[in-house]
C-alpha cells in the first residue's frame, strides 16, 4: 500500500495538543497511521515539559498513531527516523538543506524550525510497545514568536506559504517517514541522520547532574548515542532524552 492511501487524516481547526488527542484516539483503539492534524494548538507540548508555540495557520502541527512491533528499547528510533523524514521532505519540497540538532530538533539558517515529540505507551507485563504517538511541529512562517523563544525559533518561509505547499510538505513527510518505518530496525537511515547533523565535529556544551561540560561532538552511533570528547580528553556517551546539547 502506498503512503498516500495508508494514512488517514483527521483535520481539526483548534485542539489543545495533537499529541494528547492522538493518544486519546489510540487508547480507544484508533488504527495505526491515523494522523491528527490541526491548524492551531492551545497547549502544544514540547520535550522536557516545554510548550510548543502553535498559532493559527502558521505551522504544521500533526501527530501520527503508530503501533510498531518494536521493543521499548528500540522506540527511540522512531524519533530519529522522523527527523530524517522531515529533512528529506524539506529538501524535496522547499529545496533547502536543514540540519538536525541532536537529538530531534530541525534547524534552518541557525534557527529551530521543527520539533519532534514522541510519546510511547508500554505494556509493562509483556515488555512490548502498545502504541507510539509521533508528534511533529513545523514553523512555516514567523508569527510573533514569544520573547522566550525569539532567539532560537525560526521559520521556513518569510510569509505564509500557499496551502498547496503546506499540503505537499505534510504528504512528503508522511511518505518519507513511512519508507523508513517499513525497515526501521535496519537503521540504514542513520547515515542520513549523521549527514544532516548540525553538531558533529563541532564544539558543544551540555549540563548533566548540575555540572557544565564542554567538548567536541565526535560521533553519533546507529542508536543515536552521541559521543562527546571532553576538554580533558575523556569520552562521554550521551543518550537521547538525557541531556540537551547546544553549540558552544
Ligand atoms: C520540542 O521541540 O520540544 C518538540 C515539539 C513537538 C511539537 C509537536 S506539534 C504537534 C505535536 N503536538 C504537540 O503537542 N506537540 C507535538
Amino acid at each position: 500500500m502506498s503512503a498516500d492511501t495508508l494514512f488517514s487524516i483527521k483535520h481539526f481547526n483548534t485542539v489543545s495538543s495533537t499529541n494528547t488527542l492522538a493518544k486519546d484516539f489510540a487508547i480507544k483503539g484508533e488504527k495505526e497511521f491515523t494522523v491528527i492534524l490541526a491548524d492551531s494548538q492551545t497547549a502544544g507540548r514540547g520535550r522536557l515539559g516545554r510548550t510548543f508555540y502553535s498559532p493559527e495557520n502558521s505551522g504544521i502541527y500533526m501527530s501520527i498513531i503508530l503501533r510498531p512491533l518494536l521493543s521499548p528499547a528500540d522506540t527511540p528510533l522512531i524519533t530519529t527516523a522522523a527527523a530524517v523524514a522531515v529533512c528529506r521532505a524539506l529538501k524535496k519540497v522547499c529545496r533547502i538543506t536543514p540540519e538536525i540538532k541532536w537529538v530531534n530538533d530541525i534547524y534552518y539558517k541557525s534557527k529551530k524550525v521543527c520539533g519532534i515529540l514522541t510519546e510511547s505507551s508500554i505494556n509493562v507485563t509483556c515488555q512490548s510497545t502498545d502504541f507510539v504517538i509521533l508528534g511533529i511541529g513545523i514553523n512555516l512562517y514567523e508569527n510573533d514568536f514569544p520573547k522566550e523563544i525569539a532567539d532560537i525559533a525560526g521559520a521556513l518561509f518569510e510569509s505564509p506559504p500557499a496551502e498547496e505547499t503546506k499540503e505537499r510538505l505534510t504528504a512528503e513527510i508522511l511518505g518519507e517517514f513511512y519508507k523508513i518505518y517499513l525497515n526501521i530496525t535496519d537503521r540504514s537511515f542513520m547515515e542520513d541522520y549523521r549527514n544532516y547533523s548540525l553538531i558533529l565535529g563541532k564544539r558543544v556544551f551540555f549540563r548533566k547532574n548540575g555540572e557544565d561540560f564542554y567538548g567536541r561532538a565526535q560521533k553519533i552511533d546507529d542508536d543515536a548515542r552521541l559521543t562527546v570528547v571532553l576538554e580533558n580528553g575523556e569520552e562521554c556517551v550521551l543518550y537521547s532524552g538525557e541531556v540537551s546539547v547546544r553549540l558552544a
Side-chain angles (χ1 to χ4, degrees):
M1 197 187 272
S2 79
D4 286 359
T5 51
L6 186 78
F7 289 98
S8 133
I9 298 190
K10 291 185 191 293
H11 188 183
F12 296 83
N13 178 238
T14 303
V15 299
S16 58
S17 149
T18 56
N19 262 37
T20 306
L21 194 57
K23 188 175 163 197
D24 293 344
F25 276 117
I27 290 169
K28 288 182 189 137
E30 193 62 68
K31 64 180 192 335
E32 182 168 54
F33 303 123
T34 300
V35 180
I36 309 298
L37 188 66
D39 298 332
S40 68
Q41 302 184 111
T42 53
R45 295 188 285 110
R47 290 175 64 235
L48 310 170
R50 297 190 187 116
T51 55
F52 189 80
Y53 180 63
S54 322
E56 179 110 37
N57 294 324
S58 307
I60 294 174
Y61 316 116
M62 68 172 165
S63 301
I64 309 160
I65 298 176
L66 299 169
R67 299 190 182 276
L69 295 171
L70 287 177
S71 68
D74 272 347
T75 55
L77 288 174
I78 290 176
T79 313
T80 39
V84 171
V86 170
C87 287
R88 288 178 181 169
L90 288 177
K91 200 162 186 182
K92 213 157 150 182
V93 178
C94 308
R95 298 179 194 285
I96 60 168
T97 302
E99 294 174 291
I100 302 173
K101 188 176 86 66
W102 188 86
V103 183
N104 52 0
D105 290 340
I106 314 283
Y107 273 60
Y108 173 56
K109 291 187 176 167
S110 308
K111 296 274 181 140
K112 177 172 166 175
V113 294
C114 168
I116 298 169
L117 175 67
T118 309
E119 298 177 297
S120 310
S121 168
I122 307 295
N123 183 324
V124 188
T125 326
C126 313
Q127 271 307 297
S128 61
T129 307
D130 258 356
F131 61 81
V132 173
I133 305 300
L134 166 60
I136 300 174
I138 299 182
N139 302 330
L140 288 177
Y141 78 100
E142 190 170 335
N143 185 352
D144 260 344
F145 288 133
K147 66 172 183 335
E148 309 85 73
I149 60 165
D151 285 349
I152 304 165
L156 295 174
F157 303 98
E158 278 163 16
S159 55
E163 195 54 33
E164 193 201 329
T165 309
K166 190 173 162 180
E167 283 168 12
R168 242 195 96 207
L169 187 54
T170 306
E172 285 295 343
I173 292 169
L174 294 174
E176 289 295 339
F177 176 75
Y178 180 64
K179 279 195 256 171
I180 300 175
Y181 186 67
L182 284 174
N183 297 302
I184 193 164
T185 51
D186 74 11
R187 292 162 167 76
S188 54
F189 67 91
M190 283 305 292
E191 200 49 47
D192 242 10
Y193 182 92
R194 287 182 278 268
N195 290 335
Y196 281 114
S197 174
L198 171 76
I199 62 164
L200 273 183
K202 307 241 175 73
R203 196 173 133 75
V204 292
F205 160 84
F206 63 94
R207 183 168 293 152
K208 199 175 165 187
N209 303 328
E211 211 184 322
D212 291 351
F213 294 92
Y214 287 86
R216 195 159 295 279
Q218 191 195 41
K219 79 172 189 213
I220 297 172
D221 71 13
D222 280 354
D223 287 317
R225 285 178 296 231
L226 169 69
T227 302
V228 177
V229 180
L230 302 178
E231 283 168 333
N232 63 7
E234 246 175 62
E235 283 190 4
C236 187
V237 180
L238 302 177
Y239 295 80
S240 64
E242 190 187 43
V243 289
S244 162
V245 167
R246 49 184 171 82
L247 291 178

